[in-house]
Amino acid sequence: QVQLVESGGGSVQAGGSLRLSCAASGYTYCMGWFRQAPGKEREGVAVIYTVGGRGYYADSVKGRFTISQDNAQDNAKNMVYLQMNSLKPEDTATYYCAASSGGYCSTRVESADFDYWGQGTQVTVSS
């Protein structure tokens, strides 16, 4: 069982930055960030593999967002971050942290690969 707690959302003007944090307890194979805007489908934003720390991104955020991690040696509590720079109004959404313990995560950041989800944190970007 993995528990996820997100923090760091808020409101910012276009061009600004925010950093989201996610605290995860338990073993994870990979972790990801997703977002969902009102009336739209959930979108994968970024994924990072717990071993090795390599990250992959949706085309819509490449070059602007960076996913990173800070892992405890015993997986007791791992942290995953999403640094969001050059924010645009279209980045406005509820952002969710997700974790997979299943041994497979697509580099295309697909929600079906994840079995644990955080409660979500709101990000609002004004023009």
Side-chain angles (χ1 to χ4, degrees):
Q1 191 78 10
V2 178
Q3 293 183 328
L4 303 172
V5 179
E6 301 138 336
S7 60
S11 297
V12 66
Q13 289 191 329
S17 298
L18 284 172
R19 188 174 87 151
L20 305 182
S21 300
C22 177
S25 60
Y27 168 78
T28 60
Y29 177 76
C30 65
M31 294 189 67
W33 286 97
F34 292 78
R35 66 186 182 186
Q36 188 166 20
K40 294 188 177 182
E41 293 186 355
R42 184 167 52 192
E43 174 190 17
V45 174
V47 62
I48 189 166
Y49 293 86
T50 301
V51 176
R54 186 160 184 176
Y56 295 86
Y57 303 89
D59 288 343
S60 58
V61 305
K62 276 181 184 176
R64 300 188 299 121
F65 290 13
T66 302
I67 190 170
S68 62
Q69 63 186 4
D70 183 9
N71 292 335
Q73 287 187 340
D74 59 357
N75 287 323
K77 187 174 182 181
N78 299 329
M79 296 297 300
V80 174
Y81 306 97
L82 186 68
Q83 178 67 43
M84 304 184 293
N85 298 329
S86 302
L87 282 161
K88 305 175 181 180
E90 51 263 44
D91 294 318
T92 294
T94 301
Y95 283 70
Y96 297 90
C97 175
S100 171
S101 59
Y104 174 77
C105 286
S106 170
T107 59
R108 294 188 297 274
V109 201
E110 297 180 348
S111 59
D113 296 335
F114 294 84
D115 40 12
Y116 299 100
W117 295 84
Q119 79 282 3
T121 185
Q122 179 67 35
V123 171
T124 302
V125 185
S126 58
S127 57

